[in-house]
Amino acid sequence: MFKKILVANRGEIAVRILRACRELGIDTVAVYSEADRNALHVRYADEAYLLGPAPSRESYLRADKIIDIARKCGADAIHPGYGFLAEREAFAAACADAGITYIGPKPSAIAAMGDKMTARDTVAAAGVPVVPGTEGKGAMRDEELLALAPKIGFPLLVKASAGGGGKGMREVTSLAEMPALLASARREAESAFGDGNVYIEKLVSGARHIEIQILADTHGNAIYLGERDCSIQRRHQKLIEEAPSPFVDEELRRKMGEVAVKAAQSVDYVNAGTIEFLVDKDSNFFFLEMNTRLQVEHPVTELVTGIDIVAEQIRIARGRQLSYKQQDVVLRGHALECRINAEDPYNGFMPSTGTITHSLLPTGPGVRVDTGVYPGFEITPFYDPMIAKLIVWGETRGQAILRMRRALEEYRIVGVRTNIPFHQTMMDSHRFMAGQYDTRFVEERFSMPELEHDQEMHYPEIAAVFATLAAHHEAQRSAQFVMRNERDASNWKWVGRWERMHR
Ligand code: MV4
């Protein structure tokens, strides 16, 4: 095994990875920015080194410094976590050049999946279903895209090759508006990624976002660990994830799992990875993209499979065989994850900063909290607002929801505002309970037009009085800003009925 691993990340995921190392008896090295001198990951690790000032590009993105530290302190391997240097081909290659094992896929696989158009072409050639569009044609000029669009049919989506996560994406409903939308998509992609290439796909509406976790070792073994439903998101930020998906049955799981393994094998994938699919109302599924890293939401898969994904990543990187064969992967029960963000759900989900003065973590049966913060720690605007993940397991989906409600109620965070009231409202929602949601759910049901369209206000004094009243009213409790009738003790009768119906 490795003797020492450097974790090139911060926050909850750095702590998660350090914990896996500790259990495996591997020494650990943390790196940190000036804003993170007192961070939990720094305290948890055996050694810690300062990278530089708070901004990511001067700290957590300094690949050169990180590799230098790893070399000097004798680390055998680097785990990138998610974000920052994860999914950077050049970083994975630089680790290898320095004789340090990168805990993740090969640079070639990161590159092949990093360009979304290339990824689509590659997996489509391997027989993986993709949404009908421009696959197999490579980069196209506007004239070619305009000529092809009517054959694909409207509505369609223009997507950035270098994109992912919705950046540079445009919905097109007619040929007439397409030239302008192509131009603005290219402009946005060029400025965000330095690559203005785009491709088009038919729009799949009312779809769910379901992803498959895979593991592949260096000996040619590859398995899938079932799916996660990540449809509860807002502006491409996931908020709640669950496993298994209430929408997926045995047969669909097996089909999607086998296709996911095929997609991974098409780029010679090694280590943990995730294949994202769109799944329409008729259970047709289409490859969206592959994430070549450990994901935020990996714990829900860990809770229903009993597999420690980070420990497997480390074993795979060391050259071991997978600890599990496909038939060893058995799903048990149901897991939910709520991302706890330092943001104000009553004020357009604005980031909230400050020092956490008090916090009380939920515990007890079936509850897991992955967090990187503690009382006394200051939340700064430099990094992601996610401060914790609250993950629960239950024998059934209904039990998991009840447990999540209980845990959310126990959770106390003082000093910053959090989205806990949003999650409480979700756990009370009949549509969520019934599993009847798609990727539009949050925007449809949780929009607050009176707060989001303030540019239309013509009477600032009246607006100010109303805003004050509304803020006071809404601060009282979560339920006020959505469907009052959904807060009802008989919800649980309803869940029971729904579960009996679906047995
Ligand atoms: C789509 C789609 C519908 N049809 N592609 C958004 C981010 C990027 N990863 C892909 N995305 C989508 N691609 C076709 N052909 C709808 C989305 C989409 C979405 C996907 C997953 C999770 C949330 C989403 C929210 C809005 C749109």
Short mmCIF file of all heavy atoms in Angstrom, two decimals, residues 262-316:
data_model
loop_
_atom_site.label_atom_id
_atom_site.label_comp_id
_atom_site.label_asym_id
_atom_site.label_seq_id
_atom_site.Cartn_x
_atom_site.Cartn_y
_atom_site.Cartn_z
N LYS A 262 -19.71 0.11 -20.47
CA LYS A 262 -19.25 0.17 -21.86
C LYS A 262 -18.69 1.55 -22.19
O LYS A 262 -17.65 1.68 -22.85
CB LYS A 262 -20.45 -0.15 -22.79
CG LYS A 262 -20.07 -0.69 -24.13
CD LYS A 262 -21.19 -1.51 -24.76
CE LYS A 262 -22.46 -0.74 -25.01
NZ LYS A 262 -23.44 -1.46 -25.86
N ALA A 263 -19.36 2.60 -21.71
CA ALA A 263 -18.89 3.97 -21.95
C ALA A 263 -17.51 4.16 -21.31
O ALA A 263 -16.60 4.73 -21.94
CB ALA A 263 -19.88 4.98 -21.38
N ALA A 264 -17.34 3.66 -20.09
CA ALA A 264 -16.06 3.80 -19.40
C ALA A 264 -14.96 3.05 -20.15
O ALA A 264 -13.85 3.57 -20.35
CB ALA A 264 -16.19 3.30 -17.96
N GLN A 265 -15.29 1.85 -20.58
CA GLN A 265 -14.29 1.04 -21.28
C GLN A 265 -13.88 1.66 -22.62
O GLN A 265 -12.77 1.45 -23.08
CB GLN A 265 -14.80 -0.39 -21.46
CG GLN A 265 -14.78 -1.16 -20.13
CD GLN A 265 -15.50 -2.49 -20.18
OE1 GLN A 265 -16.39 -2.72 -20.99
NE2 GLN A 265 -15.12 -3.38 -19.28
N SER A 266 -14.78 2.47 -23.22
CA SER A 266 -14.46 3.07 -24.52
C SER A 266 -13.32 4.08 -24.42
O SER A 266 -12.74 4.47 -25.42
CB SER A 266 -15.71 3.74 -25.12
OG SER A 266 -16.00 4.95 -24.45
N VAL A 267 -13.00 4.55 -23.19
CA VAL A 267 -11.85 5.45 -23.04
C VAL A 267 -10.79 4.82 -22.13
O VAL A 267 -9.93 5.51 -21.60
CB VAL A 267 -12.26 6.84 -22.48
CG1 VAL A 267 -13.15 7.58 -23.46
CG2 VAL A 267 -12.95 6.71 -21.12
N ASP A 268 -10.89 3.47 -21.96
CA ASP A 268 -9.88 2.76 -21.18
C ASP A 268 -9.84 3.30 -19.74
O ASP A 268 -8.77 3.57 -19.20
CB ASP A 268 -8.51 2.96 -21.87
CG ASP A 268 -7.64 1.74 -21.70
OD1 ASP A 268 -8.09 0.77 -21.04
OD2 ASP A 268 -6.49 1.76 -22.19
N TYR A 269 -11.01 3.47 -19.16
CA TYR A 269 -11.14 4.14 -17.87
C TYR A 269 -10.65 3.29 -16.71
O TYR A 269 -10.95 2.10 -16.64
CB TYR A 269 -12.61 4.53 -17.63
CG TYR A 269 -12.73 5.60 -16.57
CD1 TYR A 269 -12.59 6.93 -16.91
CD2 TYR A 269 -12.94 5.28 -15.23
CE1 TYR A 269 -12.66 7.93 -15.94
CE2 TYR A 269 -13.01 6.26 -14.26
CZ TYR A 269 -12.87 7.59 -14.63
OH TYR A 269 -12.92 8.57 -13.68
N VAL A 270 -9.93 3.91 -15.80
CA VAL A 270 -9.49 3.26 -14.56
C VAL A 270 -9.84 4.17 -13.39
O VAL A 270 -9.76 5.39 -13.50
CB VAL A 270 -7.96 3.00 -14.59
CG1 VAL A 270 -7.46 2.56 -13.22
CG2 VAL A 270 -7.62 1.94 -15.64
N ASN A 271 -10.21 3.58 -12.26
CA ASN A 271 -10.58 4.25 -11.00
C ASN A 271 -12.10 4.51 -10.95
O ASN A 271 -12.86 3.91 -11.68
CB ASN A 271 -9.77 5.51 -10.75
CG ASN A 271 -9.49 5.72 -9.26
OD1 ASN A 271 -10.33 6.15 -8.52
ND2 ASN A 271 -8.30 5.34 -8.82
N ALA A 272 -12.54 5.39 -10.04
CA ALA A 272 -13.97 5.65 -9.88
C ALA A 272 -14.41 6.71 -10.87
O ALA A 272 -13.67 7.67 -11.12
CB ALA A 272 -14.26 6.12 -8.46
N GLY A 273 -15.59 6.55 -11.43
CA GLY A 273 -16.12 7.54 -12.38
C GLY A 273 -17.63 7.48 -12.40
O GLY A 273 -18.23 6.56 -11.85
N THR A 274 -18.23 8.50 -13.00
CA THR A 274 -19.69 8.55 -13.04
C THR A 274 -20.17 8.90 -14.44
O THR A 274 -19.67 9.84 -15.05
CB THR A 274 -20.21 9.62 -12.05
OG1 THR A 274 -19.79 9.27 -10.74
CG2 THR A 274 -21.73 9.72 -12.09
N ILE A 275 -21.14 8.13 -14.92
CA ILE A 275 -21.74 8.40 -16.22
C ILE A 275 -23.10 9.04 -15.98
O ILE A 275 -23.95 8.45 -15.31
CB ILE A 275 -21.95 7.11 -17.05
CG1 ILE A 275 -20.85 6.09 -16.82
CG2 ILE A 275 -22.15 7.43 -18.52
CD1 ILE A 275 -19.51 6.43 -17.38
N GLU A 276 -23.29 10.25 -16.51
CA GLU A 276 -24.56 10.96 -16.36
C GLU A 276 -25.49 10.65 -17.53
O GLU A 276 -25.05 10.70 -18.68
CB GLU A 276 -24.34 12.47 -16.35
CG GLU A 276 -23.54 13.01 -15.21
CD GLU A 276 -23.50 14.53 -15.22
OE1 GLU A 276 -24.10 15.17 -16.11
OE2 GLU A 276 -22.82 15.08 -14.34
N PHE A 277 -26.73 10.37 -17.21
CA PHE A 277 -27.74 10.12 -18.24
C PHE A 277 -28.94 11.03 -18.04
O PHE A 277 -29.27 11.41 -16.91
CB PHE A 277 -28.25 8.68 -18.16
CG PHE A 277 -27.23 7.62 -18.50
CD1 PHE A 277 -26.57 6.93 -17.50
CD2 PHE A 277 -26.97 7.30 -19.83
CE1 PHE A 277 -25.65 5.94 -17.81
CE2 PHE A 277 -26.05 6.31 -20.14
CZ PHE A 277 -25.39 5.62 -19.14
N LEU A 278 -29.60 11.34 -19.16
CA LEU A 278 -30.94 11.90 -19.10
C LEU A 278 -31.88 10.72 -19.27
O LEU A 278 -31.65 9.89 -20.16
CB LEU A 278 -31.18 12.85 -20.27
CG LEU A 278 -30.73 14.30 -20.19
CD1 LEU A 278 -31.08 14.98 -21.50
CD2 LEU A 278 -31.38 15.02 -19.02
N VAL A 279 -32.92 10.62 -18.46
CA VAL A 279 -33.88 9.53 -18.61
C VAL A 279 -35.25 10.15 -18.83
O VAL A 279 -35.73 10.93 -17.99
CB VAL A 279 -33.89 8.62 -17.35
CG1 VAL A 279 -34.84 7.44 -17.56
CG2 VAL A 279 -32.49 8.11 -17.04
N ASP A 280 -35.88 9.85 -19.97
CA ASP A 280 -37.17 10.48 -20.26
C ASP A 280 -38.33 9.69 -19.63
O ASP A 280 -38.12 8.66 -18.99
CB ASP A 280 -37.35 10.73 -21.76
CG ASP A 280 -37.61 9.44 -22.55
OD1 ASP A 280 -37.92 8.38 -21.94
OD2 ASP A 280 -37.53 9.49 -23.79
N LYS A 281 -39.56 10.22 -19.79
CA LYS A 281 -40.73 9.64 -19.13
C LYS A 281 -40.95 8.19 -19.50
O LYS A 281 -41.54 7.42 -18.75
CB LYS A 281 -41.98 10.45 -19.51
CG LYS A 281 -41.99 11.87 -18.96
CD LYS A 281 -43.29 12.56 -19.34
CE LYS A 281 -43.17 13.91 -20.00
NZ LYS A 281 -42.04 14.28 -20.80
N ASP A 282 -40.48 7.80 -20.72
CA ASP A 282 -40.67 6.42 -21.17
C ASP A 282 -39.48 5.53 -20.85
O ASP A 282 -39.32 4.47 -21.45
CB ASP A 282 -40.95 6.39 -22.67
CG ASP A 282 -42.16 7.26 -23.02
OD1 ASP A 282 -43.17 7.17 -22.30
OD2 ASP A 282 -42.07 8.03 -24.00
N SER A 283 -38.62 6.00 -19.93
CA SER A 283 -37.43 5.25 -19.52
C SER A 283 -36.39 5.08 -20.62
O SER A 283 -35.53 4.19 -20.53
CB SER A 283 -37.80 3.87 -18.93
OG SER A 283 -38.57 4.03 -17.78
N ASN A 284 -36.45 5.89 -21.67
CA ASN A 284 -35.34 5.92 -22.62
C ASN A 284 -34.22 6.70 -21.95
O ASN A 284 -34.48 7.71 -21.30
CB ASN A 284 -35.73 6.64 -23.91
CG ASN A 284 -36.89 5.97 -24.60
OD1 ASN A 284 -36.84 4.78 -24.90
ND2 ASN A 284 -37.96 6.72 -24.80
N PHE A 285 -32.99 6.21 -22.10
CA PHE A 285 -31.89 6.94 -21.46
C PHE A 285 -30.80 7.30 -22.47
O PHE A 285 -30.59 6.59 -23.44
CB PHE A 285 -31.32 6.15 -20.27
CG PHE A 285 -30.76 4.80 -20.61
CD1 PHE A 285 -29.42 4.63 -20.95
CD2 PHE A 285 -31.58 3.67 -20.57
CE1 PHE A 285 -28.92 3.38 -21.25
CE2 PHE A 285 -31.08 2.41 -20.88
CZ PHE A 285 -29.75 2.27 -21.22
N PHE A 286 -30.17 8.44 -22.22
CA PHE A 286 -29.18 8.99 -23.14
C PHE A 286 -27.97 9.48 -22.37
O PHE A 286 -28.11 10.18 -21.36
CB PHE A 286 -29.78 10.19 -23.90
CG PHE A 286 -31.10 9.90 -24.55
CD1 PHE A 286 -32.29 10.24 -23.92
CD2 PHE A 286 -31.16 9.27 -25.79
CE1 PHE A 286 -33.51 9.97 -24.51
CE2 PHE A 286 -32.38 9.00 -26.39
CZ PHE A 286 -33.57 9.35 -25.76
N PHE A 287 -26.79 9.14 -22.87
CA PHE A 287 -25.54 9.61 -22.27
C PHE A 287 -25.47 11.14 -22.32
O PHE A 287 -25.74 11.74 -23.35
CB PHE A 287 -24.37 9.03 -23.06
CG PHE A 287 -23.02 9.57 -22.68
CD1 PHE A 287 -22.27 8.99 -21.66
CD2 PHE A 287 -22.47 10.66 -23.37
CE1 PHE A 287 -21.01 9.49 -21.32
CE2 PHE A 287 -21.21 11.17 -23.03
CZ PHE A 287 -20.49 10.58 -22.01
N LEU A 288 -25.12 11.77 -21.20
CA LEU A 288 -24.89 13.23 -21.20
C LEU A 288 -23.40 13.53 -21.14
O LEU A 288 -22.86 14.18 -22.02
CB LEU A 288 -25.55 13.87 -19.98
CG LEU A 288 -26.95 14.43 -20.10
CD1 LEU A 288 -27.34 15.14 -18.81
CD2 LEU A 288 -27.08 15.39 -21.28
N GLU A 289 -22.75 13.09 -20.08
CA GLU A 289 -21.32 13.28 -19.95
C GLU A 289 -20.78 12.33 -18.90
O GLU A 289 -21.55 11.70 -18.16
CB GLU A 289 -20.96 14.73 -19.62
CG GLU A 289 -21.78 15.37 -18.53
CD GLU A 289 -21.63 16.91 -18.53
OE1 GLU A 289 -22.20 17.59 -19.40
OE2 GLU A 289 -20.94 17.39 -17.63
N MET A 290 -19.45 12.23 -18.84
CA MET A 290 -18.84 11.41 -17.79
C MET A 290 -18.00 12.30 -16.89
O MET A 290 -17.25 13.15 -17.37
CB MET A 290 -17.95 10.32 -18.38
CG MET A 290 -17.30 9.47 -17.30
SD MET A 290 -16.50 8.01 -17.94
CE MET A 290 -16.05 7.18 -16.40
N ASN A 291 -18.15 12.11 -15.58
CA ASN A 291 -17.33 12.83 -14.61
C ASN A 291 -16.18 11.92 -14.21
O ASN A 291 -16.40 10.83 -13.68
CB ASN A 291 -18.16 13.22 -13.41
CG ASN A 291 -19.31 14.11 -13.81
OD1 ASN A 291 -19.13 15.08 -14.55
ND2 ASN A 291 -20.50 13.76 -13.39
N THR A 292 -14.97 12.39 -14.47
CA THR A 292 -13.79 11.54 -14.27
C THR A 292 -13.15 11.80 -12.91
O THR A 292 -11.95 12.03 -12.81
CB THR A 292 -12.79 11.78 -15.42
OG1 THR A 292 -12.48 13.19 -15.49
CG2 THR A 292 -13.37 11.35 -16.74
N ARG A 293 -13.99 11.77 -11.88
CA ARG A 293 -13.53 12.10 -10.53
C ARG A 293 -14.47 11.46 -9.51
O ARG A 293 -15.51 10.93 -9.86
CB ARG A 293 -13.61 13.61 -10.34
CG ARG A 293 -15.03 14.12 -10.54
CD ARG A 293 -15.31 15.48 -9.99
NE ARG A 293 -16.72 15.77 -9.99
CZ ARG A 293 -17.41 16.28 -11.01
NH1 ARG A 293 -16.78 16.57 -12.14
NH2 ARG A 293 -18.70 16.49 -10.92
N LEU A 294 -14.08 11.58 -8.23
CA LEU A 294 -14.98 11.26 -7.12
C LEU A 294 -16.03 12.36 -7.09
O LEU A 294 -15.70 13.53 -7.25
CB LEU A 294 -14.17 11.27 -5.82
CG LEU A 294 -14.93 11.01 -4.52
CD1 LEU A 294 -15.44 9.58 -4.47
CD2 LEU A 294 -14.04 11.30 -3.31
N GLN A 295 -17.31 12.02 -6.85
CA GLN A 295 -18.33 13.07 -6.83
C GLN A 295 -18.81 13.44 -5.44
O GLN A 295 -18.74 12.64 -4.51
CB GLN A 295 -19.49 12.65 -7.71
CG GLN A 295 -19.11 12.78 -9.17
CD GLN A 295 -20.31 12.75 -10.06
OE1 GLN A 295 -20.76 11.68 -10.43
NE2 GLN A 295 -20.84 13.91 -10.40
N VAL A 296 -19.34 14.65 -5.35
CA VAL A 296 -19.90 15.14 -4.08
C VAL A 296 -20.85 14.10 -3.50
O VAL A 296 -20.80 13.78 -2.31
CB VAL A 296 -20.67 16.47 -4.31
CG1 VAL A 296 -21.36 16.91 -3.03
CG2 VAL A 296 -19.75 17.56 -4.84
N GLU A 297 -21.73 13.57 -4.35
CA GLU A 297 -22.83 12.73 -3.88
C GLU A 297 -22.47 11.24 -3.74
O GLU A 297 -23.37 10.41 -3.59
CB GLU A 297 -24.04 12.89 -4.82
CG GLU A 297 -23.81 12.53 -6.29
CD GLU A 297 -23.31 13.71 -7.15
OE1 GLU A 297 -22.66 14.61 -6.60
OE2 GLU A 297 -23.56 13.69 -8.36
N HIS A 298 -21.18 10.90 -3.74
CA HIS A 298 -20.82 9.48 -3.65
C HIS A 298 -21.34 8.78 -2.39
O HIS A 298 -21.58 7.57 -2.42
CB HIS A 298 -19.29 9.30 -3.78
CG HIS A 298 -18.53 9.69 -2.55
ND1 HIS A 298 -18.20 10.99 -2.27
CD2 HIS A 298 -18.07 8.94 -1.50
CE1 HIS A 298 -17.55 11.03 -1.11
NE2 HIS A 298 -17.47 9.81 -0.63
N PRO A 299 -21.56 9.51 -1.26
CA PRO A 299 -21.99 8.78 -0.05
C PRO A 299 -23.33 8.04 -0.18
O PRO A 299 -23.50 7.00 0.45
CB PRO A 299 -22.09 9.89 1.01
CG PRO A 299 -21.10 10.91 0.58
CD PRO A 299 -21.23 10.92 -0.92
N VAL A 300 -24.26 8.54 -0.99
CA VAL A 300 -25.54 7.81 -1.06
C VAL A 300 -25.31 6.42 -1.65
O VAL A 300 -25.96 5.44 -1.24
CB VAL A 300 -26.67 8.57 -1.82
CG1 VAL A 300 -27.12 9.80 -1.03
CG2 VAL A 300 -26.29 8.93 -3.24
N THR A 301 -24.37 6.32 -2.59
CA THR A 301 -24.04 5.01 -3.15
C THR A 301 -23.33 4.15 -2.11
O THR A 301 -23.60 2.95 -1.98
CB THR A 301 -23.15 5.19 -4.40
OG1 THR A 301 -23.87 5.97 -5.35
CG2 THR A 301 -22.78 3.84 -5.01
N GLU A 302 -22.47 4.78 -1.30
CA GLU A 302 -21.78 4.03 -0.24
C GLU A 302 -22.78 3.44 0.75
O GLU A 302 -22.65 2.29 1.18
CB GLU A 302 -20.79 4.94 0.50
CG GLU A 302 -19.67 5.41 -0.40
CD GLU A 302 -18.57 6.16 0.34
OE1 GLU A 302 -18.88 6.97 1.24
OE2 GLU A 302 -17.39 5.92 0.02
N LEU A 303 -23.82 4.21 1.09
CA LEU A 303 -24.78 3.73 2.09
C LEU A 303 -25.66 2.60 1.58
O LEU A 303 -26.06 1.75 2.36
CB LEU A 303 -25.65 4.89 2.61
CG LEU A 303 -24.92 5.97 3.43
CD1 LEU A 303 -25.93 6.88 4.11
CD2 LEU A 303 -23.97 5.39 4.45
N VAL A 304 -25.97 2.58 0.30
CA VAL A 304 -26.84 1.48 -0.18
C VAL A 304 -26.05 0.27 -0.67
O VAL A 304 -26.62 -0.81 -0.82
CB VAL A 304 -27.87 1.93 -1.26
CG1 VAL A 304 -28.87 2.91 -0.65
CG2 VAL A 304 -27.21 2.49 -2.50
N THR A 305 -24.74 0.44 -0.94
CA THR A 305 -23.94 -0.72 -1.38
C THR A 305 -23.03 -1.24 -0.27
O THR A 305 -22.54 -2.36 -0.35
CB THR A 305 -23.03 -0.36 -2.58
OG1 THR A 305 -22.14 0.69 -2.18
CG2 THR A 305 -23.83 0.05 -3.80
N GLY A 306 -22.75 -0.40 0.74
CA GLY A 306 -21.79 -0.79 1.78
C GLY A 306 -20.35 -0.72 1.31
O GLY A 306 -19.44 -1.18 2.00
N ILE A 307 -20.12 -0.14 0.13
CA ILE A 307 -18.76 -0.06 -0.42
C ILE A 307 -18.16 1.31 -0.13
O ILE A 307 -18.79 2.34 -0.35
CB ILE A 307 -18.80 -0.33 -1.94
CG1 ILE A 307 -19.27 -1.77 -2.21
CG2 ILE A 307 -17.43 -0.06 -2.59
CD1 ILE A 307 -19.50 -2.10 -3.68
N ASP A 308 -16.94 1.33 0.40
CA ASP A 308 -16.21 2.57 0.66
C ASP A 308 -15.52 2.97 -0.65
O ASP A 308 -14.48 2.41 -1.03
CB ASP A 308 -15.19 2.33 1.78
CG ASP A 308 -14.42 3.58 2.15
OD1 ASP A 308 -14.22 4.46 1.28
OD2 ASP A 308 -13.99 3.68 3.31
N ILE A 309 -16.12 3.91 -1.36
CA ILE A 309 -15.64 4.25 -2.70
C ILE A 309 -14.23 4.86 -2.66
O ILE A 309 -13.40 4.57 -3.52
CB ILE A 309 -16.64 5.19 -3.42
CG1 ILE A 309 -17.95 4.42 -3.67
CG2 ILE A 309 -16.07 5.72 -4.73
CD1 ILE A 309 -19.09 5.27 -4.21
N VAL A 310 -13.94 5.66 -1.65
CA VAL A 310 -12.61 6.28 -1.57
C VAL A 310 -11.54 5.22 -1.29
O VAL A 310 -10.46 5.23 -1.89
CB VAL A 310 -12.58 7.41 -0.53
CG1 VAL A 310 -11.20 8.04 -0.44
CG2 VAL A 310 -13.61 8.48 -0.88
N ALA A 311 -11.85 4.28 -0.40
CA ALA A 311 -10.90 3.19 -0.12
C ALA A 311 -10.65 2.38 -1.40
O ALA A 311 -9.50 2.01 -1.70
CB ALA A 311 -11.43 2.29 0.98
N GLU A 312 -11.72 2.14 -2.18
CA GLU A 312 -11.55 1.42 -3.45
C GLU A 312 -10.67 2.22 -4.41
O GLU A 312 -9.83 1.65 -5.12
CB GLU A 312 -12.91 1.13 -4.11
CG GLU A 312 -13.65 -0.05 -3.52
CD GLU A 312 -12.85 -1.35 -3.55
OE1 GLU A 312 -12.49 -1.84 -4.64
OE2 GLU A 312 -12.57 -1.89 -2.46
N GLN A 313 -10.87 3.54 -4.45
CA GLN A 313 -10.04 4.38 -5.34
C GLN A 313 -8.56 4.22 -5.02
O GLN A 313 -7.72 4.14 -5.91
CB GLN A 313 -10.39 5.87 -5.13
CG GLN A 313 -11.67 6.32 -5.74
CD GLN A 313 -11.70 7.85 -5.75
OE1 GLN A 313 -11.85 8.47 -4.70
NE2 GLN A 313 -11.53 8.44 -6.92
N ILE A 314 -8.26 4.20 -3.71
CA ILE A 314 -6.87 4.10 -3.27
C ILE A 314 -6.31 2.73 -3.64
O ILE A 314 -5.20 2.62 -4.16
CB ILE A 314 -6.76 4.39 -1.75
CG1 ILE A 314 -7.15 5.86 -1.49
CG2 ILE A 314 -5.37 4.09 -1.22
CD1 ILE A 314 -7.34 6.22 -0.02
N ARG A 315 -7.10 1.69 -3.40
CA ARG A 315 -6.66 0.33 -3.76
C ARG A 315 -6.41 0.21 -5.26
O ARG A 315 -5.41 -0.38 -5.69
CB ARG A 315 -7.73 -0.71 -3.36
CG ARG A 315 -7.88 -0.93 -1.85
CD ARG A 315 -9.07 -1.85 -1.58
NE ARG A 315 -9.06 -2.99 -2.51
CZ ARG A 315 -8.41 -4.12 -2.30
NH1 ARG A 315 -7.76 -4.31 -1.17
NH2 ARG A 315 -8.41 -5.09 -3.20
N ILE A 316 -7.34 0.75 -6.05
CA ILE A 316 -7.20 0.69 -7.51
C ILE A 316 -5.91 1.40 -7.95
O ILE A 316 -5.13 0.89 -8.76
CB ILE A 316 -8.42 1.33 -8.21
CG1 ILE A 316 -9.67 0.47 -8.00
CG2 ILE A 316 -8.15 1.53 -9.70
CD1 ILE A 316 -10.99 1.18 -8.36
#
